[in-house]
Amino acid sequence: MNLGSVLILTCTLVVDTSWATKADQPPKPPCRPGFSESFYTVFVSRDLLQGQNILKDTTLSSERVKFDNCQHSKAVDFESSDPNFSVRPDGSVYAEQEVANLSDPVQFMVTARGGHDPHIWETTVKLALAGHPPSVPVSQIGVEDMIARAWDSNPRVIKFPRKHQRSSSANGLRRQKRDWVIPPINVPENSRGPFPQMLVRIRSDQDLEKGIRYSITGAGADQPPIDVYNIDPVHGKMFVTRPLDREERASYHLRAHAVDMNGNKVESPIDLYIYVIDMNDNRPEFQNQVYNGSVAEGSKPGTLVMQVTANDSDDDTTANGMVRYRILSQTPHMPIPNMFTINSETGDIFTVAAGLDREKVSQYTIIVQATDMEGNLNFGLSNTATALISVTDINDNPPELTARTFSGEVPENRVNVVVANLTVIDRDQPHSPNWAAQYRIASGDPQGHFLIRTNPVNNDGMVTVVKPVDYEQNRAFMLTVIVSNKAPLASGIQSSLQSSAGVTISVQDVNEPPVFPSNPKSIRFEEGVPAGTTLTVFAAQDPDLFIHQTVRYSKLSDPANWLRINRTNGQITTMAVLDRESMYVRNNIYEATFLAADNGSPPASGTGTLQIHLIDVNDNAPVLLPKEAQVCERASPRSRVNITASDADADPHVGPFVFELPSYPPSVRRNWTASRISGDYAQLRLRIPYLDAGVYEVPIIVSDSGNPPLSNRSMIKVKVCPCDDNGDCTTTGAVAAAGLGTGAIIAILICIIILLTMVLVFVMWMKRREKERQAKPLLIDPEDDVRDNILKYDEEGGGEEDQDYDLSQLQQPEALDHIICKPTGVRRVDERPVIAESQYPIRPSLPHPGDIGDFINDGLRAADNDPTAPPYDSLLVFDYEGSGSTAGSVSSLNSSSSGDQDYDYLNDWGPRFKKLADLYGGGDDD
């Protein structure tokens, strides 16, 4: 490959960045390894030539190739693509071999690699004779011409290096020539071919003596990716078979081999480094199409706003991958069109002017362009992204009240009511701490009657009454209110004169209810005070001092109805004796509630509670407990009863109690004795060894400890009974103890037997009466019956409306075969059953005296007990009338409707026909 072609391709990456302004210059960027320039021009002085060749090891220029590896402690190795020139570690260029002249400029590539770092850096060096006219500028050479020049030139020949001795001077000293340094092979990416394209030719010095076969190995030849490169085994020509892509693979490391016809190694393998020269075939790509940033309003110039980043897949060590940024447009153009600038290398966006005001412009839209080739717009590829810059709010606008004074009014004694509404204006961000208002009462309310709450929706201040106001004390309030924000004002912002205002609140007088000064009022009295005693005066005061009103009193609650109150002055007197032991007294306190009402408009009333603390007096005698007891009939430890007493009074009018037996009757003290156990308990036991079983009422006198003491004669019923070994009463003994002797028990048993006998006789009499009822005739003599009789007809016919009714369905059929053959359970309800009929009461041919009620009940009972009777909602067959009735049909008898018939004679038939006479005779009902 021709060096000039490589040189020209590299030169196209050079970009002049002098157009950048100082405002675009970023802070010193971090160290990035690489050459200081992508293209060096070294001018050789004519004095070095003087018509002769340039000698070996001659330094051509004092100018050096500068390379920064960011690690000054590590050495950097330089390699030249032209074997005639090399670069020393200090960057100076020298001639490796004798050079005839420099009439034409020479260009070659210098590669740098540092230590074990696999990364390599490249730059182009041009050697020109000082004063020689410059060559055609790179910008005037097209890319197609560059590639044509590169591939139309004759390829290089790479020989296998050999070691041999040569004389260096006349004194016979000899030195060994060092090995060849095979320069890297540079291949541009995206070549259009045709393929395969020849890169270099590899040959051995022994190819004139013997037949040589060449081969290459490594990634890209016989290893993946396979067959990117191949070699002519006879002539050693090495080809690339397809277009290369540096973004997929930037370099290849191959080894060239030379063997004879028998496969024996002729030369040591040589390393071939193939570098894919980057072409600017990738645009910068932003990480996001839309970037969001923010900056506080009022920010100073130079404030960092945000950063945008674009990546270029091309080689970032060359101009192809070096991205530069610039701002294309700003919307809106307020206050100036260029409020922001961008660091061309880092993509940081800064403010360049003051005047950011959220209240005027809340958001800016910035179009940012990223261009590679170090920002060269003629050769670089570009892409754009959008940056949305929000101007954040600061508290640079103090709240301002819309008026200098506000007013309101409130009725006295009202709380939690809004009396005035303060409106405020704040131009900061709504519903933010910079906008939210806080109100404070600076003066005019020393007792804290008012509180100003902020309406979270509209930021207004609501003056609210939190403590009742009294018209009689303050008729108006003059408040001074100051409003501020939750967030402090920004630095340098002063409060507005409109941040304070005066608020006048008028108090309205209302009719207030009378108030009891002491509520509840407590007094102390001994219980038992007689009725009519004056306890106290429970009077109320009217707060309305400026209005003369009359107060009247009444009783609202008096559970025991012990008290009365004077309607005019509130004097409390008793109507009954006060009893501390009453059920209406709780914890020695009796409560009554009274009402005080004025005559205002509208009337108002207040309540007061009177608490009477009742002092206990000894007015309740003790009561003996228990009322009943049980002891054994023989004196023993179990023949004892523990007794005590209860007293409704309180200390010191209760225990200790005194228990004693009365002297009368004498049998009490003869049979029983009472001994004291403690202050509240005593023990009653038998005084004699044996006492007959029975129930004994033993009187005991109980006295309390009051002053003076009260006594009570109480009776305790003691059951004396025989006991078993465990001291428990036996059953017989319990009965005997109940006071029933043997005679009484026998009498009770006889009474029980008599009662059972009476019940048995009554049952037998009822059964006999039932049989008699069944035997006597069902009908009575019509002449003896003073009531309406039931007449029996042989046959019933249809009425006038049903003369076509077939009466044969109700008569006995002549043949019963169709009924007998009918399956069991299938029968018409109007057919006579063929099974044995139940035994209904037989009707006699002649009626006999009887009770018609018994007749109906007997028929109903017989129907209920008949299993063959149809259901209650079916047609019941009470009797079979037979066939061939001798009675004629009464259906032919028609009612005569011609003329009026006189039914007055029905009134003469007696009281039985009175109803009929009323219906037909038109008589009046009584």
Side-chain angles (χ1 to χ4, degrees):
M1 181 176 62
N2 187 282
L3 295 176
S5 63
V6 177
L7 176 62
I8 293 173
L9 288 174
T10 307
C11 290
T12 59
L13 305 178
V14 180
V15 178
D16 184 7
T17 59
S18 61
W19 57 272
T21 63
K22 293 183 179 180
D24 296 331
Q25 295 299 325
K28 186 176 180 179
C31 180
R32 186 180 349 178
F35 289 99
S36 61
E37 301 291 341
S38 60
F39 188 88
Y40 292 90
T41 301
V42 180
F43 293 97
V44 180
S45 175
R46 292 180 180 270
D47 297 337
L48 291 178
L49 296 179
Q50 296 180 355
Q52 301 176 1
N53 295 341
I54 299 177
L55 300 179
K56 181 180 178 182
D57 295 334
T58 300
T59 302
L60 302 181
S61 176
S62 61
E63 185 175 350
R64 293 176 173 82
V65 177
K66 297 180 181 180
F67 181 85
D68 190 357
N69 65 346
C70 299
Q71 297 178 356
H72 302 287
S73 59
K74 295 185 178 181
V76 179
D77 297 331
F78 297 99
E79 295 181 0
S80 173
S81 61
D82 192 338
N84 296 324
F85 302 97
S86 296
V87 181
R88 293 190 178 95
D90 62 354
S92 60
V93 180
Y94 67 95
E96 185 73 33
Q97 299 178 7
E98 293 183 358
V99 180
N101 54 51
L102 289 178
S103 58
D104 291 329
V106 177
Q107 297 180 9
F108 56 90
M109 182 171 292
V110 177
T111 303
R113 67 178 73 232
H116 301 287
D117 191 351
H119 198 84
I120 63 173
W121 295 267
E122 295 177 348
T123 188
T124 302
V125 178
K126 175 182 178 182
L127 296 179
L129 186 63
H132 192 275
S135 60
V136 180
V138 174
S139 59
Q140 297 179 10
I141 302 176
V143 176
E144 297 293 338
D145 294 338
M146 299 177 189
I147 300 177
R149 295 181 184 182
W151 293 104
D152 291 345
S153 303
N154 295 326
R156 289 188 297 164
V157 177
I158 298 177
K159 294 183 178 181
F160 284 90
R162 303 188 61 79
K163 297 180 181 179
H164 60 277
Q165 300 292 334
R166 63 168 283 185
S167 176
S168 62
S169 65
N171 59 12
L173 295 178
R174 304 176 65 86
R175 63 190 178 106
Q176 185 178 12
K177 183 180 180 180
R178 56 186 177 180
D179 290 345
W180 285 76
V181 177
I182 307 300
I185 303 171
N186 298 304
V187 182
E189 65 173 334
N190 303 325
S191 174
R192 296 183 180 179
F195 295 99
Q197 290 179 344
M198 183 178 174
L199 299 180
V200 295
R201 179 182 178 189
I202 299 175
R203 62 180 295 269
S204 174
D205 292 341
Q206 303 183 36
D207 59 354
L208 300 177
E209 303 172 0
K210 59 180 72 175
I212 302 299
R213 293 295 181 265
Y214 303 96
S215 64
I216 56 175
T217 60
D222 59 347
Q223 298 178 14
I226 300 175
D227 296 334
V228 177
Y229 304 96
N230 58 28
I231 189 171
D232 186 348
V234 176
H235 301 94
K237 295 180 180 181
M238 182 176 170
F239 299 90
V240 60
T241 62
R242 61 183 121 172
L244 303 181
D245 189 354
R246 192 204 65 85
E247 286 70 41
E248 293 183 0
R249 191 180 184 96
S251 64
Y252 297 86
H253 180 200
L254 303 178
R255 304 198 76 183
H257 306 271
V259 297
D260 58 14
M261 301 301 293
N262 297 323
N264 299 320
K265 182 171 69 174
V266 175
E267 302 284 358
S268 297
I270 61 174
D271 293 320
L272 302 177
Y273 292 94
I274 303 175
Y275 297 110
V276 182
I277 300 175
D278 184 41
M279 302 290 289
N280 191 17
D281 57 345
N282 290 281
R283 292 180 180 273
E285 295 292 340
F286 283 95
Q287 295 180 356
N288 301 304
Q289 283 300 312
V290 178
Y291 290 83
N292 291 284
S294 61
V295 61
E297 61 176 334
S299 297
K300 296 180 179 180
T303 303
L304 177 63
V305 179
M306 59 188 300
Q307 183 186 37
V308 296
T309 303
N311 298 321
D312 196 315
S313 299
D314 292 326
D315 188 1
D316 58 355
T317 63
T318 66
N320 296 337
M322 295 181 181
V323 180
R324 297 296 183 263
Y325 304 92
R326 70 180 187 132
I327 295 177
L328 295 181
S329 65
Q330 167 194 308
T331 305
H333 297 172
M334 294 178 58
I336 61 175
N338 298 319
M339 289 295 296
F340 304 93
T341 186
I342 187 170
N343 188 306
S344 62
E345 294 189 3
T346 62
D348 293 331
I349 299 178
F350 299 88
T351 59
V352 294
L356 290 174
D357 191 349
R358 189 206 63 85
E359 287 71 38
K360 295 180 179 178
V361 179
S362 61
Q363 187 181 70
Y364 289 90
T365 301
I366 305 297
I367 305 301
V368 180
Q369 183 184 57
T371 306
D372 57 17
M373 295 297 292
E374 296 184 291
N376 191 314
L377 299 178
N378 295 325
F379 302 101
L381 302 177
S382 301
N383 211 339
T384 60
T386 302
L388 300 179
I389 302 176
S390 299
V391 181
T392 58
D393 184 47
I394 64 173
N395 194 8
D396 57 345
N397 294 282
E400 298 179 351
L401 292 166
T402 58
R404 298 296 298 170
T405 59
F406 296 88
S407 62
E409 58 184 18
V410 57
E412 62 176 335
N413 300 322
R414 294 283 300 277
V415 293
N416 295 327
V417 293
V418 178
V419 297
N421 196 60
L422 312 181
T423 56
V424 68
I425 297 176
D426 195 317
R427 291 184 294 273
D428 289 322
Q429 179 69 39
H431 305 288
S432 68
N434 300 329
W435 173 85
Q438 291 180 330
Y439 298 87
R440 179 173 58 90
I441 300 176
S443 62
D445 185 24
Q447 298 180 352
H449 290 283
F450 302 95
L451 179 66
I452 303 179
R453 298 185 174 96
T454 303
N455 189 325
V457 178
N458 54 20
N459 219 22
D460 290 349
M462 301 178 293
V463 183
T464 308
V465 181
V466 295
K467 185 178 180 181
V469 294
D470 191 354
Y471 175 81
E472 285 71 28
Q473 295 181 0
N474 291 296
R475 298 188 181 184
F477 292 86
M478 300 294 296
L479 308 180
T480 300
V481 177
I482 298 177
V483 61
S484 60
N485 293 125
K486 289 185 178 180
L489 291 175
S491 178
I493 304 300
Q494 301 296 328
S495 297
S496 173
L497 295 177
Q498 296 181 353
S499 296
S500 63
V503 181
T504 302
I505 299 177
S506 301
V507 181
Q508 297 176 341
D509 187 23
V510 297
N511 184 25
E512 300 176 78
V515 178
F516 289 90
S518 298
N519 192 12
K521 182 177 182 179
S522 298
I523 59 176
R524 296 175 65 88
F525 268 88
E526 287 188 352
E527 64 173 332
V529 295
T533 303
T534 300
L535 300 181
T536 185
V537 175
F538 196 26
Q541 299 176 356
D542 193 347
D544 297 315
L545 302 179
F546 302 101
I547 303 176
H548 180 69
Q549 298 179 142
T550 303
V551 179
R552 293 291 181 261
Y553 302 92
S554 61
K555 187 169 59 174
L556 190 62
S557 172
D558 184 11
N561 199 24
W562 288 345
L563 308 175
R564 73 161 57 92
I565 187 170
N566 188 291
R567 180 175 177 79
T568 303
N569 57 16
Q571 185 179 47
I572 306 295
T573 57
T574 60
M575 295 190 305
V577 178
L578 305 183
D579 186 5
R580 190 194 68 86
E581 290 76 30
S582 171
M583 60 181 296
Y584 301 106
V585 178
R586 298 288 184 273
N587 298 324
N588 302 329
I589 296 176
Y590 179 75
E591 286 190 355
T593 305
F594 299 92
L595 183 69
D598 59 19
N599 59 348
S601 178
S605 60
T607 60
T609 300
L610 180 64
Q611 294 181 342
I612 305 175
H613 186 89
L614 297 176
I615 302 173
D616 184 42
V617 297
N618 193 17
D619 58 347
N620 292 279
V623 177
L624 183 67
L625 295 175
K627 299 295 183 181
E628 295 182 356
Q630 181 175 289
V631 298
C632 296
E633 59 185 359
R634 299 185 181 277
S636 66
R638 298 183 180 275
S639 299
R640 300 177 181 180
V641 179
N642 293 332
I643 57 177
T644 185
S646 65
D647 197 322
D649 294 323
D651 287 335
H653 304 300
V654 288
F657 300 104
V658 178
F659 301 90
E660 57 182 352
L661 298 175
S663 57
Y664 183 84
S667 59
V668 176
R669 292 191 173 184
R670 183 174 62 250
N671 297 335
W672 305 92
T673 180
S675 58
R676 184 173 182 177
I677 299 177
S678 63
D680 295 333
Y681 291 90
Q683 192 175 74
L684 179 67
R685 67 178 185 273
L686 288 176
R687 190 182 188 91
I688 58 179
Y690 176 81
L691 183 64
D692 292 338
V695 178
Y696 298 86
E697 291 185 351
V698 181
I700 299 177
I701 300 175
V702 185
S703 303
D704 58 21
S705 298
N707 187 17
L710 294 181
S711 300
N712 182 24
R713 180 187 176 100
S714 302
M715 304 295 292
I716 180 172
K717 184 180 295 185
V718 182
K719 297 180 181 179
V720 180
C721 60
C723 300
D724 54 15
D725 296 338
N726 297 326
D728 298 328
C729 284
T730 60
T731 304
T732 306
V735 175
L740 297 179
T742 305
I745 296 174
I746 294 174
I748 291 174
L749 294 176
I750 293 174
C751 291
I752 292 174
I753 293 173
I754 293 174
L755 181 61
L756 293 176
T757 303
M758 293 177 62
V759 171
L760 182 61
V761 171
F762 179 75
V763 171
M764 294 177 66
W765 177 77
M766 289 296 294
K767 287 186 176 182
R768 182 174 180 181
R769 186 170 179 272
E770 183 70 19
K771 291 181 179 180
E772 291 178 353
R773 286 182 178 180
Q774 294 179 359
K776 65 184 179 179
L778 296 178
L779 298 177
I780 60 176
D781 191 347
E783 297 179 358
D784 298 334
D785 188 10
V786 297
R787 299 168 301 175
D788 295 339
N789 295 328
I790 297 177
L791 301 180
K792 178 183 177 184
Y793 295 93
D794 294 335
E795 182 178 335
E796 296 180 0
E800 297 178 357
E801 301 298 333
D802 54 356
Q803 295 183 2
D804 296 336
Y805 187 79
D806 187 6
L807 296 179
S808 62
Q809 299 296 331
L810 301 178
Q811 299 177 356
Q812 175 64 37
E814 298 297 337
L816 299 179
D817 294 340
H818 69 285
I819 298 178
I820 298 176
C821 298
K822 187 176 296 185
T824 305
V826 180
R827 181 174 65 86
R828 285 175 51 178
V829 295
D830 57 349
E831 293 179 353
R832 181 178 183 181
V834 296
I835 59 176
E837 297 183 1
S838 58
Q839 298 298 323
Y840 290 96
I842 301 174
R843 298 179 182 179
S845 58
L846 295 177
H848 295 282
D851 191 357
I852 192 65
D854 292 341
F855 167 77
I856 295 174
N857 290 333
D858 292 341
L860 177 62
R861 187 163 42 251
D864 291 340
N865 296 328
D866 184 9
T868 63
Y872 295 109
D873 56 351
S874 301
L875 179 63
L876 300 181
V877 179
F878 288 97
D879 198 1
Y880 182 70
E881 298 183 0
S883 60
S885 175
T886 57
S889 175
V890 298
S891 299
S892 58
L893 298 179
N894 295 328
S895 298
S896 175
S897 58
S898 61
D900 295 334
Q901 185 174 353
D902 186 10
Y903 295 99
D904 292 340
Y905 63 90
L906 295 176
N907 294 325
D908 300 333
W909 288 10
R912 298 182 183 180
F913 297 92
K914 178 174 178 53
K915 187 64 177 177
L916 189 61
D918 293 340
L919 292 176
Y920 288 90
D924 296 333
D925 294 340
D926 294 333

